Amino acid sequence: MKHALFLLVASVCLGSISSKAESDSALFFYDPHGDPLAARDDYGLRHQMPATNRTDFAPRAPFRFCYYFKSGAVIAADPAYVGALQDALQRNGYYCGPIDGVLSDAVRDAIARLQKNCSQHVTGTLTLGVRRALHLP
């Protein structure tokens, strides 16, 4: 009886450990459809909009970690990142223009409103505080 109970407890514990390891595997392997800068469906297309934007297929870094050490000026020149910035600003209600990957005056105005609402120094430029407020790398 004790052996059967021990085997039952051991199988439950090992089953929970193996299922946790399978769910954590996404942290260690790059999934091109799990890109943090553009949410995509199973076919690699953005699923929030009926048509794709030109920033959807712009080259981007394979890992979120690659963006942490880049300055705001370098990132502002990256159309994929600016597209993700426009998307995040649009989701939060600060921007209502097209998502085209261009850091226009409307995007700078949206960044300035975000900075004002988050009690940051209002500059209208892409700063580390803006990136943190929008949960972007």
Side-chain angles (χ1 to χ4, degrees):
M1 180 68 182
K2 290 181 181 180
H3 293 293
L5 183 63
F6 175 74
L7 289 175
L8 178 66
V9 170
S11 65
V12 168
C13 291
L14 289 176
S16 66
I17 290 171
S18 67
S19 66
K20 173 125 175 78
E22 291 171 5
S23 67
D24 288 344
S25 65
L27 294 174
F28 300 108
F29 299 104
Y30 174 66
D31 181 18
H33 302 302
D35 187 9
L37 294 180
R40 298 172 184 268
D41 63 1
D42 294 336
Y43 300 105
L45 301 174
R46 291 177 56 87
H47 63 279
Q48 287 94 349
M49 306 180 83
T52 59
N53 298 317
R54 85 184 158 147
T55 60
D56 294 341
F57 302 105
R60 55 183 52 89
F63 298 103
R64 191 176 177 100
F65 181 75
C66 299
Y67 289 99
Y68 289 147
F69 301 108
K70 294 183 179 180
S71 68
V74 172
I75 289 178
D78 184 9
Y81 194 89
V82 175
L85 173 70
Q86 289 172 333
D87 190 30
L89 287 168
Q90 192 174 46
R91 275 186 279 118
N92 289 314
Y94 294 106
Y95 178 71
C96 60
I99 299 175
D100 55 1
V102 177
L103 193 64
S104 63
D105 290 335
V107 176
R108 288 186 181 95
D109 184 47
I111 290 172
R113 284 186 303 216
L114 172 76
Q115 288 172 333
K116 184 176 180 182
N117 287 344
C118 292
S119 300
Q120 298 177 6
H121 183 67
V122 179
T123 60
T125 59
L126 184 60
T127 61
L128 187 58
V130 171
R131 292 163 62 181
R132 287 182 181 169
L134 294 173
H135 303 290
L136 290 173

